[in-house]
Amino acid sequence: VLDRGMRPVPAGVAGELYIGGVQLARGYLNRPSLTAERFVPDPFSGEGGGRLYRTGDAACLRAGGEVRYLGRLDHQVKVRGLRIEPGEIELALASHPAVQEATVLVREYGPSDQRLVAYLVPDQKHAPVVRQPFRPEEGGPLTESSFYESPNGTPEQHDAGAQQQWHSAEALIADVRRHLRERLPEYMVPSAFVPLARLPLTPNGKLDRRALPAPGEYETAAGTQFVGPRDALELRLTQIWKEVLGVHIVGVRDNFFERGGHSLLAVRLLARVQRATGVALPLSVLFQNPTVEHLAAHVRRQPGLAPRHESSPLVEIQRGDGGPALFFVHPSGGNVICYAELAQHLGTDRHFYGLQARGLDGVGPVLTTVEEMATSYVEAVRAAQPRGPYLLGGWSMGGLVAFEMARQLQALGQEVSLLALVDTIAPASAHRLAEPDELSLMSNFALDMGLSWEHLRLSRDELLGMSPDRLLAHVLELATAAGVVPPELEPSQIERLYHVFKTNVRAMLDYEPRPLHGRITFFRAEERAQGRGETQGDWNDFALEGVELLDVPGDHFTMVRAPHVKALAESLARCLEDATSCV
């Protein structure tokens, strides 16, 4: 087993398999050029005229002298005009000590858009939790499975522990990617890496290429922790990236070129960015700022940013293929970025719109009552969809506003076929709440932004010793360090966000609704968050056709974030299907 320079490789290191000795044939019959290519001089025979046969097989020697076959080296493909031997990439992959098996193929992402995808089987000594290909026993196409296989072979549902172990798979991919870049030109480094528990085989033991899954739900930037969009600009950019790259999930710290981007796609991406923001960017900017986070920061600094004016509160979070759109109202914080993960898990069967609080961007007044918000949002919803039936929902305070929107739409003679309240406190329960102090407001503001109780760190006594301004600055420091807000967020911007939050909390506590002539679907968090009581409360008093109660993993704050958001999305998807089956 030899390397490219025909030097023997150590045991366990991949190379090309050569055959020599007295049993070797003299060449191919009447094919001198192929004979010259495959039957090469033997530098080890010690005799003139000795020959070795280049098999084109990748292999490695085991410590006991066995030869382990790794695949072919001579299956040539063409990617963006460049001829590539996937076997060479597989050989480089197999030389990584943590890779037990690997195969590489080309996948079509669109017309004239082919990309290399690598499938890895980690060595059991290094094995993280990896995706397990699943083929139904009755045959049929491969399906995406939510199950993972641990090193001991026990399947386990994708929960917080499995997600944490998946990050170790991302760390492996990052190391493998670096390993390849040290050995191969950049155009031969695959765009995506998919770890598998094992490579799928046909009944006769050969690799079943058709059963290899497309990079999908868990295709994220290797070696980086997933961070979703944190403001409207990052949300717009991640939407553009997903459409241009043809992927399902994009984090703000994913590298465009590591996700499969190349120069032609970069031109398309920047054209879309210019249409969305009004800012024209040269190609060099993308090379210098290859992540959504950095590109968004660059766009914010440009004087050519589209002029600010009061616009519709409607934010298109995910574009759908058809069917009635889903409209979700902002929580107390006023922002709809919290719904980005939910929209991704729901898929593209329908449009997903968020209704963002007016005044959040510093343009226009902040609305002070639930009734005012509902009236404004109904107008925006009807501009996008003039007639019902409507699909409405909201998390936390957003459910309260959605409830009032449903009432107002009914008064206009419109049908609301789904009203989904996600852990929304009932109005009667809200009236029994004590007026929150500044510390309680600030703590819930931080949690609403995406910080956890662990992020807050300081004790109540320490926090009570801070002035309101210092307390707000402390929250901004924590939020920036945790990556839940863009690094460029100014103190004046966080002050505006906090003002919207306080105004919304006041509006929620003052709201006195009348009953709805309809049904409520209530998604209740299975765990009680610190400082929060029961949320379902007395909703039965406000829904004349009753309340359907559905429990969702997590607490009030974590139920809309990974890993629990997946269960929420699955439950919501079933309700949407029921609500629209007769539409």
Side-chain angles (χ1 to χ4, degrees), residues 304-485:
L305 192 62
R308 298 171 67 196
H309 54 85
E310 187 174 6
S311 58
S312 169
L314 212 58
V315 176
E316 184 185 81
I317 297 178
Q318 182 141 300
R319 186 168 299 172
D321 299 328
L326 177 60
F327 301 90
F328 252 58
V329 184
H330 62 81
S332 302
N335 212 317
V336 295
I337 301 301
C338 57
Y339 298 135
E341 289 184 74
L342 177 61
Q344 287 174 342
H345 283 285
L346 279 174
T348 57
D349 288 345
R350 67 188 74 251
H351 272 65
F352 190 113
Y353 288 104
L355 286 153
Q356 185 161 285
R358 290 196 180 277
L360 191 72
D361 55 1
V363 180
V366 177
L367 302 180
T368 58
T369 70
V370 168
E371 291 85 352
E372 285 180 327
M373 295 176 204
T375 300
S376 175
Y377 302 162
V378 163
E379 181 182 345
V381 165
R382 297 199 71 191
Q385 182 183 319
R387 291 180 298 280
Y390 291 99
L391 306 171
L392 304 178
W395 168 54
S396 194
M397 177 203 171
L400 211 63
V401 181
F403 174 86
E404 177 60 26
M405 289 175 65
R407 284 193 62 264
Q408 293 188 16
L409 283 166
Q410 283 187 345
L412 295 171
Q414 298 295 320
E415 178 188 352
V416 176
S417 57
L418 177 68
L419 176 57
L421 308 188
V422 181
D423 217 48
T424 298
I425 192 167
S429 300
H431 289 310
R432 291 194 292 268
L433 294 177
E435 186 73 25
D437 59 23
E438 196 72 22
L439 180 57
S440 297
L441 280 169
M442 194 72 71
S443 298
N444 280 284
F445 173 60
L447 292 166
D448 194 74
M449 290 174 64
L451 293 172
S452 66
W453 290 103
E454 290 73 23
H455 283 128
L456 298 180
R457 288 196 295 270
L458 298 181
S459 69
R460 183 176 177 85
D461 289 340
E462 289 175 304
L463 293 171
L464 281 171
M466 294 183 181
S467 67
D469 288 345
R470 177 67 192 109
L471 195 56
L472 194 58
H474 177 64
V475 170
L476 177 57
E477 291 168 10
L478 294 175
T480 303
V484 300
V485 299

Side-chain angles (χ1 to χ4, degrees), residues 79-80 82-85 89 116 184-190:
V79 178
R80 296 194 297 277
L82 298 168
R83 296 194 177 278
I84 295 171
E85 296 276 2
I89 307 172
L116 294 167
L184 299 172
E186 185 64 32
Y187 69 86
M188 292 180 68
V189 177

Side-chain angles (χ1 to χ4, degrees), residues 63-236:
E66 296 172 331
V67 176
R68 177 173 153 227
Y69 172 73
L70 300 174
R72 291 293 296 168
L73 286 169
D74 56 2
H75 178 60
Q76 195 175 79
V77 296
K78 196 172 184 180
V79 178
R80 296 194 297 277
L82 298 168
R83 296 194 177 278
I84 295 171
E85 296 276 2
E88 288 190 47
I89 307 172
E90 292 168 357
L91 194 64
L93 286 167
S95 68
H96 190 287
V99 175
Q100 179 177 319
E101 291 182 275
T103 192
V104 175
L105 53 78
V106 176
R107 284 197 172 272
E108 297 279 344
Y109 279 73
S112 303
D113 186 10
Q114 296 83 31
R115 303 180 204 169
L116 294 167
V117 178
Y119 296 88
L120 314 175
V121 177
D123 185 276
Q124 287 302 305
K125 290 179 291 188
H126 305 83
V129 172
V130 295
R131 291 173 62 183
Q132 170 60 45
F134 170 73
R135 181 180 289 278
E137 292 184 6
E138 299 296 325
L142 184 83
T143 63
E144 291 287 345
S145 172
S146 63
F147 285 88
Y148 289 69
E149 185 172 297
S150 60
N152 63 9
T154 304
E156 52 196 28
Q157 283 283 12
H158 180 204
D159 57 13
Q163 186 185 47
Q164 184 177 7
Q165 288 177 292
W166 173 257
H167 290 161
S168 67
E170 290 185 338
L172 168 64
I173 291 171
D175 195 54
V176 169
R177 195 190 296 271
R178 286 191 294 269
H179 178 82
L180 292 186
R181 283 183 170 147
E182 293 171 358
R183 290 159 175 79
L184 299 172
E186 185 64 32
Y187 69 86
M188 292 180 68
V189 177
S191 301
F193 295 79
V194 181
L196 300 172
R198 65 182 66 88
L199 295 179
L201 303 177
T202 62
N204 62 4
K206 293 185 178 180
L207 176 66
D208 188 353
R209 291 178 178 271
R210 290 182 298 178
L212 290 168
E217 182 180 350
Y218 301 99
E219 178 194 356
T220 59
T224 64
Q225 182 179 4
F226 177 80
V227 177
R230 300 158 301 189
D231 65 8
L233 178 57
E234 289 185 345
L235 178 63
R236 276 184 288 171

